[in-house]
Amino acid sequence: MANFIDEKAEAKAVRPVSSIDDEKLGSHTSDSMSIIEGSEGVTQHDLDTLRHVADTLPYAAWLVVFVEFAERWTYYGTTNIFNNYIRAPLPRFSVNGAVAAADRAGGVAGALGKGQQISFSIRTFNSFWVYVTPWIGGILADTLWGRYKTIMVFSFVCLAGHILLVGSAVPSSIAKPDVAMGLLVLSIAIIGLGAGAIKANVSPMIAEQYTGKLRKVTLPSGETVVMSPQVTIQSIYNWFYVAINLGSCGAISASFLARDHGFWVAFLIPTVIFLLVPLVLLAGKKQYVITPPRGSILLETLRVITYSLGPRWSINPLTTIKAIKAKDFWDPSKPSSYEAGKLPPKMTWDDEFVGEVSRTLQACRVFLFFPFFWLCYSQIDGNLGTVAAGMTLNGTPNDLIQNLNPISIVFLIPIFDKLIYPFLRKKGINFSPIKRIYAGFMTAGLAMLYAAVLQHFLYKMSPCHDNAPSECVTIEENPVPLPANVNVWVVAGPYIMVGISEIFASVTSLEYAFTKAPVRMKSVVMAFSQFQVALSSALNFSLTAVNTEQKFAWLFGSFGITAWVIGTIFFFVFRQLDRDEIALNAIGQGARPGFKDEAPQTAEAQTVQEAKQ
C-alpha cells in the first residue's frame, strides 16, 4: 500500500523538507503562516525556521524507566550466561559450575556440557519466545486490562519463572543434567511469557507519560525555539534505552558470580532485584498517565481495513494492488464519506481513526525489514562469546566481553542525545527516522564483517585451527584450555559497533511504533515491532546446521553483506515517509469527534490520569 496518508492529514501539516536528500529543514511554502494542527500557536514558518528542542521528561516517566532497568537487569543477568551454562561441561572439581581458584586465569564456567548447537538452539528459542509473547501482553492491555495492570500481573509470572531457574542450577539439579535441562526450558517458557508481556507495555507506557504540545518557548538566552513533542519522544526513548542497557550490565556481575560461585548464585541475585518491579509500580500508581483499554479496538481496526478493501477487491491481484495505491482508497471507511442517516451502524469511529490505521500500516511495513537487522544483533548473544572462549582470557570470563555492548550504549546515548542530535538540528540537518534506521543497518553490517575477519585470523592462530577453537584443550586427564594467542579484548569491536547500530535503528523503532500507532492500540503495534525479533530468531534457527564454530567466518560475513543490501533497499523503499513525517505525526492530534460511544475528545483527553485500573 503505497499511499496511506489521509488527505486531511496532509492539509494539517506541510512537509518540512522537499526531498529526503535535502539536508536543510528550510522548505518554505506559500501557506507558511498556517497554524499546525494540535499545536499551541506554532506556524509552519516557525516549524521551518526555529530550532527544535526536547521538553522536560515528567517524573512518572522516570519511574517507568526504573521499572525497565530492574526488569532488564534480571533478564540479561540470567540469559547472558545461558551459553556457558548449557554449552560447557562442569569445570574440573566443580559441582555448581564454578571454576576452581587455581584455574580462573583461563577457565570457563559451565554446567550441562550440551555443546554449541544445543546451546544455540535453546538460546534462539528463548529469543523467539520472548518476542512472540508481547502479542499476549499487547492484546490484553489494549482491549481488557490496560498497560498498568498488564505489567503488574505479568511481573509476578516472570518472578515465578526466575525462582524456577534458580532451582534448575542448584548442585542437586546439575548432578542430573537432563533434569536441569528440563527445568531450564520450563523456566525459559515462563520468564519469556512474563517478560514479553511486560515488554509490549513498558515501551508505550513511558512515552505516554509525556502529554506536552508543540509550542514556542523563549530560552533564557533570548533564543526562541520550538518545544517539539517529536524530539521529546525521541529523547525519552534514548533514555529508556539507557535504562535497558544499564540493566543489561547486570550480566557483568553474573559472569563473575557464575565463574566464582556457581550458576545458582548467579541466577539468584537477578531474581532478588526483580522484586523491585512490582514495588516501584505500586509506589507510582497515582502518578502514572494511564490510557484506558477499549475492548473493540482491534475489531474496529479490522473493520476499517475491510470497509476500504471490500469495494476494491478483485480476483486479479494486480487490479487489487493498483486500487490499494489509489489516494481515495480509505474513503469508504471515513464517516464523512456518507450522507446523514446512511452511516453503517458498525462504523463507530471518526475520520481521524482511519488516518491512524493507515499510518500504522505504513509503520508496520517499515518494521518488516528489521528481522535482517536483528540477525546481526543475535550474534552478540552467544556466538561471539564462543569466539571469545577460544582467545587468551588472562582472567577475563569469556562471556563478560559481551557487556561492552550495553556499556557502549550507556556512554554513547547521552552523547547522541545531548550533543550530536542537537548539533544536527541546530545546523538544520534533518537526521530523520528512516535515515537513522538506515545508518543502523550499515553499522550492524560493518560489525559483522569485522567479526568475520577476526574469526578468519582466529582459525589461523588457534592450536586447533578451525576445529572449534573454543574447545581446544590440552591432552591430559584433567584438561585445561589451550587458547589462541589473541587477546580476548580484540573481540570488543563488533559489540561496540552493534551498540551504535542499536542507537540508530532499535531506539528509532521504539519511537516509530509509539508515534505511528493509534492512542488506544500502542501496545499491539509495539508488539508487532518487537515480533520482528522473533521472526529473526526463526530465521536464525533455520540456520542451525551452519551455526557451528567451524563456519562462523562465513556466517558473520554473510550477515554483514545481507544487512548492507537489505538496508539500502529499505532506504529507497521508505524515503518518501521521511518527507511525510510531520503530516503522519499530525494525524489525530487536534480536536476530534472520537468514537460514537465516547464523548468528543481533544488529543489531551485521550490519555487520562486514573488512580484505579
Side-chain angles (χ1 to χ4, degrees):
M1 300 182 181
N3 192 339
F4 280 109
I5 301 177
D6 157 288
E7 294 171 3
K8 185 177 178 181
E10 289 186 337
K12 289 180 177 180
V14 185
R15 300 170 186 167
V17 290
S18 60
S19 169
I20 191 65
D21 300 311
D22 291 343
E23 292 299 320
K24 297 289 181 179
L25 292 172
S27 177
H28 297 280
T29 70
S30 58
D31 197 18
S32 64
M33 301 310 294
S34 61
I35 302 295
I36 300 296
E37 183 77 18
S39 73
E40 295 180 356
V42 177
T43 67
Q44 183 61 45
H45 178 72
D46 295 330
L47 201 66
D48 289 341
T49 59
L50 299 179
R51 184 163 64 94
H52 296 196
V53 300
D55 207 344
T56 304
L57 273 62
Y59 168 72
W62 291 109
L63 290 177
V64 183
V65 165
F66 185 84
V67 168
E68 180 67 5
F69 162 76
E71 189 276 329
R72 289 291 88 183
W73 179 298
T74 303
Y75 179 79
Y76 286 108
T78 53
T79 58
N80 277 21
I81 57 176
F82 277 172
N83 187 43
N84 280 350
Y85 180 62
I86 301 166
R87 177 187 63 82
L90 281 169
R92 60 178 181 170
F93 316 127
S94 178
V95 296
N96 58 9
V99 178
D103 296 336
R104 286 176 188 168
V108 175
L112 304 184
K114 298 295 184 179
Q116 168 66 23
Q117 282 192 307
I118 291 179
S119 171
F120 168 77
S121 299
I122 292 176
R123 288 183 292 104
T124 301
F125 167 75
N126 175 61
S127 298
F128 173 80
W129 176 240
V130 81
Y131 286 100
V132 167
T133 53
W135 284 113
I136 299 172
I139 292 171
L140 283 173
D142 283 341
T143 63
L144 187 62
W145 288 347
R147 280 182 267 284
Y148 177 84
K149 182 177 178 180
T150 303
I151 295 172
M152 181 64 79
V153 168
F154 281 97
S155 68
F156 289 104
V157 173
C158 204
L159 182 60
H162 280 287
I163 293 172
L164 185 61
L165 178 62
V166 174
S168 78
V170 298
S172 58
S173 294
I174 290 177
K176 302 174 182 177
D178 290 339
V179 172
M181 178 67 79
L183 291 174
L184 171 66
V185 172
L186 180 59
S187 67
I188 285 175
I190 296 173
I191 292 170
L193 175 62
I198 292 171
K199 183 181 290 291
N201 291 287
V202 170
S203 298
M205 185 173 173
I206 184 175
E208 70 185 0
Q209 303 310 302
Y210 176 73
T211 56
K213 306 293 289 182
L214 187 70
R215 64 190 191 279
K216 289 187 292 184
V217 174
T218 301
L219 301 178
S221 64
E223 179 189 8
T224 301
V225 298
V226 171
M227 198 69 74
S228 168
Q230 181 179 344
V231 174
T232 305
I233 295 300
Q234 179 184 340
S235 181
I236 285 174
Y237 279 118
N238 278 330
W239 290 101
F240 178 73
Y241 215 70
V242 168
I244 291 175
N245 286 278
L246 272 176
S248 302
C249 293
I252 297 175
S253 62
S255 297
F256 286 104
L257 287 168
R259 188 195 66 177
D260 298 346
H261 302 286
F263 284 96
W264 78 271
V265 176
F267 292 149
L268 178 63
I269 301 302
T271 303
V272 173
I273 291 173
F274 191 83
L275 290 171
L276 294 172
V277 171
L279 293 178
V280 173
L281 284 170
L282 285 172
K285 185 176 182 180
K286 294 183 179 180
Q287 304 295 324
Y288 299 127
V289 174
I290 297 176
T291 302
R294 180 173 175 82
S296 58
I297 191 70
L298 297 181
L299 182 59
E300 286 165 327
T301 300
L302 183 61
R303 283 173 178 163
V304 167
I305 297 171
T306 302
Y307 274 115
S308 293
L309 189 59
R312 312 298 182 94
W313 182 261
S314 170
I315 195 172
N316 184 340
L318 294 178
T319 302
T320 302
I321 292 172
K322 183 178 179 181
I324 288 172
K325 291 181 177 180
K327 283 194 173 184
D328 61 350
F329 171 76
W330 294 101
D331 285 357
S333 296
K334 297 177 182 177
S336 61
S337 298
Y338 295 83
E339 296 179 5
K342 294 185 178 181
L343 188 71
K346 292 183 178 180
M347 193 170 284
T348 57
W349 52 84
D350 58 9
D351 281 12
E352 294 292 303
F353 183 68
V354 178
E356 289 178 323
V357 170
S358 71
R359 179 183 65 188
T360 299
L361 292 178
Q362 284 279 30
C364 288
R365 290 178 63 218
V366 168
F367 299 144
L368 287 174
F369 279 73
F370 268 80
F372 299 98
F373 171 81
W374 292 118
L375 271 179
C376 297
Y377 174 86
S378 69
Q379 301 312 296
I380 72 170
D381 189 34
N383 283 353
L384 283 176
T386 300
V387 172
M391 304 170 75
T392 301
L393 300 179
N394 294 324
T396 303
N398 71 302
D399 53 2
L400 177 70
I401 308 299
Q402 66 192 44
N403 292 288
L404 283 173
N405 172 257
I407 289 172
S408 65
I409 291 172
V410 168
F411 277 100
L412 288 172
I413 279 183
I415 295 174
F416 275 90
D417 188 66
K418 298 299 184 181
L419 297 176
I420 296 176
Y421 289 155
F423 174 78
L424 294 176
R425 288 193 293 268
K426 188 173 183 177
K427 295 298 182 180
I429 297 173
N430 182 21
F431 196 30
S432 48
I434 299 302
K435 290 178 182 174
R436 278 181 269 145
I437 293 172
Y438 176 53
F441 271 89
M442 295 298 102
T443 310
L446 184 61
M448 289 299 98
L449 292 177
Y450 180 120
V453 173
L454 174 61
Q455 185 66 58
H456 173 73
F457 280 100
L458 191 60
Y459 289 154
K460 288 186 174 183
M461 302 182 72
S462 171
C464 297
H465 300 292
D466 62 350
N467 187 23
S470 70
E471 299 175 11
C472 194
V473 295
T474 58
I475 303 174
E476 54 187 84
E477 184 177 352
N478 293 309
V480 295
L482 194 60
N485 188 25
V486 181
N487 191 287
V488 70
W489 291 100
V490 175
V491 82
Y495 287 112
I496 295 173
M497 283 190 283
V498 168
I500 296 172
S501 75
E502 290 178 73
I503 295 173
F504 289 137
S506 182
V507 175
T508 305
S509 74
L510 296 173
E511 171 195 338
Y512 214 73
F514 180 82
T515 57
K516 302 302 181 288
V519 172
R520 309 288 273 277
M521 217 170 79
K522 292 189 184 294
S523 290
V524 169
V525 175
M526 192 67 71
F528 182 83
S529 170
Q530 294 165 347
F531 182 63
Q532 307 314 306
V533 183
L535 294 180
S536 173
S537 297
L539 182 58
N540 210 9
F541 193 78
S542 70
L543 300 173
T544 300
V546 296
N547 207 295
T548 61
E549 198 171 352
Q550 293 85 346
K551 298 179 180 178
F552 274 179
W554 174 87
L555 196 70
F556 296 151
S558 298
F559 285 173
I561 293 172
T562 299
W564 282 356
V565 172
I566 296 297
T568 301
I569 294 172
F570 166 87
F571 177 74
F572 283 102
V573 168
F574 294 114
R575 56 192 296 180
Q576 177 64 38
L577 292 183
D578 266 339
R579 299 167 178 167
D580 298 320
E581 180 70 13
I582 291 179
L584 288 168
N585 289 338
I587 299 173
Q589 293 302 304
R592 56 188 294 185
F595 293 95
K596 288 173 74 174
D597 56 349
E598 297 178 350
Q601 297 179 342
T602 61
E604 303 93 17
Q606 292 172 0
T607 50
V608 297
Q609 177 104 20
E610 292 182 348
K612 295 183 179 180
Q613 177 74 355

